[in-house]
Amino acid sequence: MPSSAVVENPWFRRFNPSDSAPARIVIFPHAGGSASYYLEFANALAPYADVLAVQYPGRQNRIGEPTIDSVTGLAEQLARELRGWADRPLTFFGHSMGAAVAFETVRRFERDGVKGPDRLFVSAGRAPSLPRTTTVHQLPDDELLAEISALGGTDDRILDMPGLRELILPSLRADYTAVETYCSSPDATVSLPITAMAGEADTHATVDQVGQWERHTTGAFDLRVFPGGHFYLADRTGAVVELLTAHLRG
């Protein structure tokens, strides 16, 4: 597949394009996150795979585009956009909200009979059928920003700059609306293996809640627990990359 037609696709950032890599991995960011947050991961994974970091609309280079405030809406669009990238073995990795978006994207691949990823890695995300009880997306702007700052994963310098705050608030609110209003049916499954990853001190997606992803695959399942909280991967980048590369190389 010629890469020139898809390199400029706004849905993906390819920090280290590789048209000869034997595999491809797609990274689905967390709520409030952007593709550039995963630059270190993309650089570390580049020797083993062509890395696509998803860029949701309404942020960074897509700041002027309308946001999408549902997990299924994001997944429908991404399932269409990713079909052109399935020319080599695919792996999906999603963190927090990204875990739900990746799961629903796989479901659409399977619904449409399209060859999709061979494994799904879900990180710091509750099992999709567990209802969300938080309503961060309904908070006033200052309280919304305070909640996001406390959780981590967003640069506080951006949150403290009034001009930038106004630019990012729509995408933050859309993301939190998406994740907090999402809940799959208890019998929603995919057929591919799932590796679930959790921070042992994460109170937003506990080890037990992450472990319940096992109910949502008819394939193999394993659970990996790392020291740290919801953004354990910021301090455990090496360990997470090692797990991903072991799969990509194997």
Side-chain angles (χ1 to χ4, degrees):
M1 176 189 64
S3 64
S4 58
V6 285
V7 165
E8 297 178 358
N9 188 325
W11 280 90
F12 310 112
R13 298 292 303 275
R14 282 173 94 198
F15 299 109
N16 299 281
S18 176
D19 294 321
S20 60
R24 180 169 282 134
I25 184 167
V26 184
I27 298 175
F28 297 75
H30 54 281
S34 62
S36 62
Y37 183 88
Y38 297 87
L39 175 60
E40 185 177 355
F41 284 85
N43 289 339
L45 292 167
Y48 311 103
D50 186 36
V51 183
L52 302 184
V54 172
Q55 188 79 296
Y56 305 129
R59 68 214 70 205
Q60 292 189 336
N61 58 308
R62 305 188 71 186
I63 195 71
E65 297 183 38
T67 58
I68 298 175
D69 63 1
S70 74
V71 166
T72 54
L74 287 166
E76 286 287 355
Q77 185 66 40
L78 280 162
R80 289 192 292 270
E81 300 294 337
L82 281 166
R83 289 191 183 195
W85 297 94
D87 59 323
R88 67 193 78 175
L90 278 176
T91 297
F92 283 1
F93 170 86
H95 182 73
S96 194
M97 180 186 82
V101 177
F103 173 72
E104 289 293 342
T105 303
V106 174
R107 291 185 69 199
R108 279 146 182 80
F109 270 78
E110 295 189 350
R111 175 198 68 190
D112 298 338
V114 177
K115 179 176 172 55
D118 53 21
R119 181 172 287 270
L120 171 62
F121 289 84
V122 292
S123 169
R126 299 179 181 196
S129 59
L130 296 178
R132 275 60 173 175
T133 58
T134 56
T135 54
V136 172
H137 69 282
Q138 296 178 345
L139 294 174
D141 290 350
D142 287 344
E143 294 180 37
L144 171 66
L145 291 170
E147 287 284 340
I148 291 166
S149 177
L151 183 62
T154 304
D155 191 335
D156 285 343
R157 293 171 297 180
I158 295 175
L159 301 180
D160 290 339
M161 298 177 67
L164 288 177
R165 283 170 35 141
E166 298 307 314
L167 286 175
I168 67 173
L169 269 166
S171 62
L172 289 172
R173 197 173 294 280
D175 286 358
Y176 276 84
T177 300
V179 72
E180 291 181 331
T181 58
Y182 169 72
C183 188
S184 77
S185 63
D187 60 352
T189 60
V190 293
S191 62
L192 77 173
I194 291 179
T195 295
M197 305 154 71
E200 63 181 2
D202 189 352
T203 58
H204 296 274
T206 66
V207 172
D208 176 67
Q209 291 168 334
V210 176
Q212 292 185 53
W213 276 95
E214 185 173 12
R215 307 201 313 258
H216 293 279
T217 178
T218 59
F221 176 82
D222 66 314
L223 174 66
R224 305 296 181 95
V225 181
F226 298 84
H230 195 63
F231 281 92
Y232 71 88
L233 77 175
D235 296 320
R236 303 289 169 181
T237 300
V240 174
V241 167
E242 182 178 353
L243 179 60
L244 294 174
T245 54
H247 165 69
L248 292 168
R249 297 174 69 181

